[in-house]
Amino acid sequence: MDQLLTVEEAADALHTSARFVRRLIAERRIEFVKVGRHVRIREPALIAFVVAGTVTPMTTDTVKGSAA
């Protein structure tokens, strides 16, 4: 079974506030698990959120191609 993180643990992993993670949950922007009244975030879901938001750097080919 995957590691289940609390909101505070997920915030620590992202180096953000717990309020930001709660907003992600409320807006359904991150996958989460309800355990009774508690909300938990699976570690792979947290990694998937980070990967989905990752922007690749521009290369010289990209810069030359878009400027021409």
Side-chain angles (χ1 to χ4, degrees):
M1 184 186 302
D2 296 326
Q3 173 92 17
L4 295 176
L5 304 174
T6 65
V7 170
E8 290 76 17
E9 291 170 338
D12 286 343
L14 292 175
H15 301 288
T16 63
S17 66
R19 183 178 176 174
F20 175 73
V21 176
R22 286 190 185 97
R23 193 175 82 213
L24 293 176
I25 292 167
E27 294 173 356
R28 306 278 202 251
R29 293 175 51 199
I30 192 167
E31 183 181 298
F32 62 93
V33 178
K34 290 279 288 192
V35 182
R37 293 176 45 186
H38 304 281
V39 175
R40 299 291 185 259
I41 300 169
R42 292 183 318 113
E43 200 167 20
L46 192 63
I47 293 167
F49 173 77
V50 171
V51 169
T54 301
V55 178
T56 57
M58 294 179 69
T59 62
T60 54
D61 294 336
T62 308
V63 174
K64 289 179 184 176
S66 64

